[in-house]
Amino acid sequence: MDKNVTNRQTYKLVFVALMIALTLIVNRVFPSTPVYHLTVDFIPVYIVAVLFGPFWSALTYAVADTIGGILFPVGPYNPGITLTLLMIGLILGLIFGGRRSMAPSTLWIRSFAAAAATLVIKLFGTTYFLYLTYGGPDGMGYFAYVISRIPNCVVFAALVLILIPPVQKIIVERVASHLQ
């Protein structure tokens, strides 16, 4: 095997491991409850998505959630929530994967698509698995739970929309220039 190929693979594994650790740290810094959880832990996943694609970004979010759920539990570990985060990582990778430099208009359009996708996944997917784990608020059904989580999910989607463009310009383009 060529030395450069080996170095690139090692770099990728180390970088992804660092992003998993950063996701864990960012995820656990902000206080949360099992239902209302606002965080910017998608930023390291987004960086991995742009640099290495959908497989690695999905893996980053899933592994970080699994480790966080086992080592620093907020409630009982729920593999369904890990599945929804894997889907968000996959979506970020499909939307942004391999696009290390984008025109500002393209970046905003892709950011809007990512925000819309995360809103749907968080609002319906994560809420469903939270409902299965904890039941509805005051014994109410799934859709009452969905309604109660709308503000949390909308704010998360807004964070995705607002933070992705500056992260792309400030962090991703600098890191990508060192990879070439």
Side-chain angles (χ1 to χ4, degrees), residues 8 22 26 86 101 117 157 167 170 177:
R8 261 186 268 136
L22 186 59
V26 170
L86 182 137
S101 180
V167 168
I170 296 169
S177 68

Side-chain angles (χ1 to χ4, degrees), residues 34-48:
V35 177
Y36 298 105
H37 183 81
L38 287 175
T39 182
V40 292
D41 65 348
F42 65 89
I43 291 175
V45 176
Y46 167 74
I47 294 169
V48 171

Side-chain angles (χ1 to χ4, degrees), residues 1-179:
M1 189 178 266
D2 185 22
K3 187 175 182 180
N4 283 339
V5 172
T6 304
N7 287 341
R8 261 186 268 136
Q9 290 174 344
T10 303
Y11 181 84
K12 183 187 294 187
L13 286 174
V14 170
F15 190 86
V16 169
L18 287 172
M19 291 298 108
I20 289 170
L22 186 59
T23 302
L24 273 168
I25 292 167
V26 170
N27 191 331
R28 302 305 175 184
V29 165
F30 298 101
S32 67
T33 66
V35 177
Y36 298 105
H37 183 81
L38 287 175
T39 182
V40 292
D41 65 348
F42 65 89
I43 291 175
V45 176
Y46 167 74
I47 294 169
V48 171
V50 172
L51 297 176
F52 304 122
F55 171 78
W56 290 100
S57 59
L59 185 70
T60 299
Y61 227 164
V63 169
D65 185 64
T66 302
I67 292 171
I70 293 169
L71 295 180
F72 313 107
V74 176
Y77 174 70
N78 186 333
I81 293 173
T82 302
L83 177 66
T84 61
L85 293 175
L86 182 137
M87 289 170 48
I88 290 172
L90 183 66
I91 293 293
L92 289 174
L94 291 172
I95 292 173
F96 296 103
R99 292 166 183 87
R100 296 178 181 180
S101 180
M102 287 180 256
S105 61
T106 304
L107 182 59
W108 280 104
I109 291 168
R110 289 179 184 276
S111 297
F112 182 78
T118 58
L119 175 66
V120 170
I121 292 169
K122 285 267 192 190
L123 186 59
F124 296 106
T126 303
T127 302
Y128 177 72
F129 290 111
L130 286 171
Y131 176 76
L132 290 180
T133 303
Y134 297 107
D138 299 325
M140 300 182 82
Y142 167 71
F143 287 106
Y145 211 33
V146 167
I147 291 169
S148 72
R149 284 189 35 88
I150 287 174
N152 183 62
C153 296
V154 167
V155 170
F156 183 82
L159 286 171
V160 169
L161 177 65
I162 292 167
L163 292 178
I164 282 179
V167 168
Q168 173 71 26
K169 294 295 177 194
I170 296 169
I171 299 173
V172 173
E173 289 180 2
R174 289 182 184 173
V175 172
S177 68
H178 292 295
L179 288 177

